[in-house]
Amino acid sequence: MSSDTSGMSGNAQAYTQAIYRIDGPPPVLLRIGQISAALAQLHQHHGCASSVFITACNPRSRRLRPAANQRRLRALRRALDVLGRAYLPACGLDPQHLWPDEPSLWVPGLPLRQGLQLARRFGQNAIVWCRDQQPARLVWTYPPKARTRTEGRGTTNTTPWGNPQCTRPSGRLY
């Protein structure tokens, strides 16, 4: 990946570097900051121009047991069923294999606002927002807290806000 993530917190960097796989026919791999022609075809197939990649697993980046994550994912499916939304199974993948694969859902045509509401309801830090002809973007459910670290002679605030691949909860770029 080409974006500079050196100033981001650990979670933000992991989210930015993750691979987001949609288990459709055929599977589609998404990367933050990249445009996907395969995703555009999937959007066309589903009659939409945007989509949300979301999970209910491991709320606030706290690892849960697989059975607990499966219960949470079933609850997310029920919530989407109530909204009348179609979805495909998906999975968040850590290319460094430091974090377990995270079962997720890809929801075509789900408005960003509804995606953020669901993400907050299920304790998620971020969702992936996808629009045709635009790079996939992380959208934080809440602005990430700035972390302070000492580097060399001074103190630096580190947050993903300065990364052009990260988006504020309002949908505007940081």
Side-chain angles (χ1 to χ4, degrees):
M1 191 156 120
S2 63
S3 65
D4 176 23
T5 56
S6 60
M8 289 193 292
S9 70
N11 275 353
Q13 186 171 355
Y15 288 21
T16 300
Q17 293 177 349
I19 298 168
Y20 299 92
R21 185 186 72 216
I22 302 166
D23 296 328
V28 174
L29 300 179
L30 302 175
R31 305 283 313 237
I32 301 303
Q34 295 181 3
I35 295 173
S36 169
L39 178 67
Q41 291 177 342
L42 199 54
H43 279 168
Q44 183 177 16
H45 177 76
H46 286 273
C48 65
S50 65
S51 58
V52 170
F53 189 105
I54 187 171
T55 188
C57 299
N58 303 314
R60 304 310 252 182
S61 298
R62 274 189 356 257
R63 287 188 196 195
L64 298 182
R65 293 185 177 160
N69 280 330
Q70 286 303 317
R71 283 191 301 274
R72 294 178 63 79
L73 197 58
R74 281 193 301 272
L76 175 58
R77 285 188 189 110
R78 283 191 302 271
L80 289 166
D81 290 341
V82 167
L83 293 172
R85 293 292 175 174
Y87 49 84
L88 289 177
C91 193
L93 307 168
D94 176 4
Q96 296 178 358
H97 306 289
L98 299 175
W99 186 261
D101 293 353
E102 199 165 72
S104 304
L105 300 173
W106 174 77
V107 189
L110 185 69
L112 178 59
R113 174 178 265 165
Q114 279 186 322
L116 287 169
Q117 288 170 345
L118 284 170
R120 288 182 190 112
R121 176 175 165 189
F122 287 94
Q124 298 303 303
N125 293 325
I127 60 175
V128 177
W129 174 245
C130 305
R131 294 181 68 182
D132 280 347
Q133 307 305 316
Q134 293 185 14
R137 294 196 179 278
L138 283 175
V139 181
W140 299 95
T141 55
Y142 303 99
K145 294 180 182 176
R147 294 186 181 174
T148 303
R149 63 188 165 107
T150 304
E151 283 190 344
R153 291 193 237 159
T155 302
T156 307
N157 287 331
T158 60
T159 120
W161 297 6
N163 184 327
Q165 309 310 328
C166 297
T167 305
R168 293 178 188 254
S170 65
R172 294 181 307 208
L173 291 179
Y174 280 98

